[in-house]
Amino acid sequence: MSTFAQRMPSLDSLVPYAGTLLLILGGSLFYPQILGFEYLTQQLQISAFLGLLALGATLVILLGHIDLSVPWILGGAAIVSTSLAGTGDPLLTALAIPLALLFGAVVGIINGVGVAILRIPSMVWTLAVNSMLLGVAVLNTGGFNPKGEASETMVWLATGNIAGIPAAFIVWMATAGAMALLLKRSGFGRYLSSIGYNEKATFLSGVSTPSVIFAAFAIAGVCSAFGGVLLAGYANQAYQSMGDPFLLPTIAAVVIGGTSILGGRGSLVGTIGGVLFITLLTSILSVMQISDAWRNIIFGVIILAMLLLQTLRKRAA
């Protein structure tokens, strides 16, 4: 990837912003409240939950891999944080968020081991990890919703605001900014794209590709865990399968944002736009009383359309 490509948003990354604007303008013709400040800030708040997941997923997809363990990293982090906060012990409550993020990092590293060391396809390995996390959660809770509740800090991060701007949105933007600096100011970002283009050539050039893969999956795990913490704060509890509805929208947001599912090309700017588009589309479909089944079909069609477009563009290049 050229230096210019790293510093300047590509046309692909700007497409979801145009789509979001069209959704707002088109939706307002039928539902004028869409243009209201309260509605738009609510969408920014809700988009932060998906946005944190999508930031981590972008790193993994840039590698040319995919992480299907997002739902239960999210769910597991929510269970860890609410279980600790629900004890009432001040020390455990203070450790609730850090330990939940540590949980995400550990699972991410486990994913990295399977992909980089054992050389198991990421789709298979992460799906198996997701299944095992589900099993552990069921064993721990007996199949019922886990006990515990969110801490005041978790609730404020998810539902509070600063000068009218949702705190969750600010957290999402701060995380995105920190990640953008990491990608632009260090070799890590270049290595991600290089591995996505050609992992073998990158390794032969002297780059420790397993270390890069470990780091990417670990960061993705932390992002998924952070999303789980915020969701638990929003709901004031953790519940079974709370992460399941987020897997397809997470992948859709990244792909819509212009990140190639084959790896090597993409941007966080595009991912943020993809998240805003998906969040607003979901909201409008809910207002129109479209069922979950049709929403999944729409997301699937969007992903397939973007994959087809990327494939055609690669052949034409």
Side-chain angles (χ1 to χ4, degrees):
M1 183 178 295
S2 68
T3 302
F4 179 79
Q6 288 180 348
R7 293 182 179 178
M8 297 297 292
S10 67
L11 182 60
D12 288 344
S13 67
L14 299 179
V15 169
Y17 292 96
T20 300
L21 182 60
L22 289 176
L23 282 177
I24 293 175
L25 295 177
S28 67
L29 298 177
F30 303 96
Y31 307 99
Q33 63 269 30
I34 288 178
L35 295 176
F37 179 78
E38 183 178 351
Y39 175 84
L40 292 177
T41 53
Q42 181 186 45
Q43 296 311 302
L44 291 180
Q45 177 190 28
I46 296 173
S47 67
F49 309 139
L50 175 62
L52 287 169
L53 307 181
L55 289 178
T58 300
L59 300 189
V60 173
I61 293 177
L62 275 173
L63 288 171
H65 294 293
I66 195 163
D67 185 359
L68 299 183
S69 64
V70 167
W72 272 100
I73 294 180
L74 183 159
I79 292 174
V80 169
S81 59
T82 55
S83 297
L84 293 174
T87 61
D89 184 294
L91 177 59
L92 292 179
T93 299
L95 292 174
I97 296 178
L99 290 180
L101 299 183
L102 178 61
F103 165 82
V106 170
V107 176
I109 292 173
I110 292 173
N111 283 335
V113 169
V115 174
I117 304 300
L118 302 180
R119 310 302 297 176
I120 297 175
S122 57
M123 182 177 293
V124 176
W125 179 267
T126 57
L127 183 61
V129 169
N130 188 72
S131 180
M132 288 188 288
L133 291 174
L134 166 61
V136 170
V138 171
L139 288 174
N140 182 57
T141 63
F144 299 99
N145 283 338
K147 298 179 180 179
E149 59 184 18
S151 66
E152 293 182 2
T153 301
M154 293 166 61
V155 172
W156 185 84
L157 287 174
T159 63
N161 69 84
I162 299 175
I165 305 300
F169 177 75
I170 295 174
V171 168
W172 174 32
M173 289 296 99
T175 304
M179 194 175 293
L181 285 176
L182 174 65
L183 296 181
K184 291 183 178 181
R185 300 294 177 86
S186 71
F188 179 66
R190 295 191 298 274
Y191 299 153
L192 280 177
S193 298
S194 297
I195 292 173
Y197 278 122
N198 192 321
E199 181 177 350
K200 185 176 181 180
T202 305
F203 176 77
L204 292 176
S205 70
V207 176
S208 176
T209 54
S211 298
V212 177
I213 294 174
F214 288 160
F217 273 99
I219 294 173
V222 171
C223 288
S224 296
F226 205 177
V229 168
L230 291 189
L231 274 172
Y234 186 75
N236 201 31
Q237 64 175 343
Y239 52 90
Q240 294 287 349
S241 302
M242 67 186 300
D244 288 351
F246 286 89
L247 179 58
L248 191 56
T250 296
I251 298 172
V254 177
V255 174
I256 289 171
T259 298
S260 172
I261 201 72
L262 302 175
R265 180 174 57 83
S267 71
L268 296 179
V269 172
T271 294
I272 293 171
V275 169
L276 294 175
F277 178 83
I278 288 293
T279 301
L280 194 61
L281 176 62
T282 301
S283 175
I284 291 175
L285 292 177
S286 297
V287 171
M288 296 175 64
Q289 298 183 343
I290 303 297
S291 67
D292 289 340
W294 278 105
R295 288 185 217 173
N296 287 331
I297 291 173
I298 291 172
F299 291 146
V301 168
I302 290 173
I303 292 175
L304 290 176
M306 293 302 296
L307 289 176
L308 179 61
L309 179 62
Q310 290 175 4
T311 301
L312 293 175
R313 182 174 297 176
K314 185 175 182 180
R315 290 177 179 175

